[in-house]
Amino acid sequence: MVIERLSELPTEALAPLLAESEQAGLRFVHRLVEEWASGRNRFDRPGEACFAALVDGRLVGVCGLNVDPYAAEPGVGRVRHLYVLSAYRKLGVGQRLVGEVIAAGRGPFGMLRLRTQDEAAARLYERIGFRRCADVADCTHLMELR
């Protein structure tokens, strides 16, 4: 497995992730593609990054890091758009992608936050070191980086 930082979004290579996520009723991969195409979010502000996981040259997962638009204070990053093809789950792909996001977030951000309604994703984030939070709007999990 190779994790690459993206400077361009390989839309064609993302097509299987887009199709599978939409079939599952999830819209965030679609938002990733749509926002990149429109220029609304290309993960290009200071501290931001987007990563892809490739196995044998095939894009099997994606995860991004943005400045958290919901945070009132500066220095908060947001984990966004984590999606791994179902055939590649439980193989460490998600963990590696989130690990790259955490590494990229150290320095620019003092905290990372995210929101998930998926219990399997919640367990993954918690194994990595995120803790649940119930008292923060638009956030289910956070990690202090400093």
Side-chain angles (χ1 to χ4, degrees):
M1 176 183 353
V2 174
I3 306 294
E4 290 184 355
R5 188 174 186 148
L6 300 175
S7 57
E8 295 294 325
L9 194 68
T11 308
E12 191 173 305
L14 270 172
L17 279 77
L18 180 60
E20 185 180 278
S21 65
E22 288 188 330
Q23 188 174 24
L26 304 171
R27 300 270 306 146
F28 56 88
V29 177
H30 178 81
R31 275 195 318 274
L32 167 67
V33 172
E34 188 175 79
E35 290 176 357
W36 193 297
S38 73
R40 182 170 173 219
N41 182 11
R42 291 196 175 151
F43 301 89
D44 54 4
R45 292 183 293 175
E48 295 186 337
C50 189
F51 298 95
L54 297 104
V55 174
D56 296 327
R58 179 179 187 206
L59 198 152
V60 300
V62 67
C63 189
L65 171 63
N66 283 129
V67 172
D68 192 336
Y70 303 106
E73 64 277 1
V76 179
R78 188 164 192 90
V79 180
R80 307 263 331 266
H81 305 303
L82 173 64
Y83 192 82
V84 175
L85 286 173
S86 58
Y88 292 87
R89 293 182 189 157
K90 300 189 188 292
L91 300 174
V93 176
Q95 186 169 340
R96 289 271 312 274
L97 283 165
V98 175
E100 289 293 326
V101 164
I102 292 168
R106 291 192 192 282
F109 302 111
M111 175 188 298
L112 296 180
R113 302 193 315 185
L114 62 95
R115 179 177 59 204
T116 185
Q117 304 305 321
D118 184 279
E119 275 307 309
R123 287 190 301 274
L124 167 71
Y125 289 121
E126 290 163 16
R127 278 194 310 274
I128 292 170
F130 283 83
R131 63 180 170 84
R132 287 188 187 251
C133 60
D135 58 339
V136 180
D138 297 303
C139 174
T140 60
H141 292 78
L142 59 84
M143 174 185 276
E144 297 282 344
L145 297 178
R146 295 185 180 133

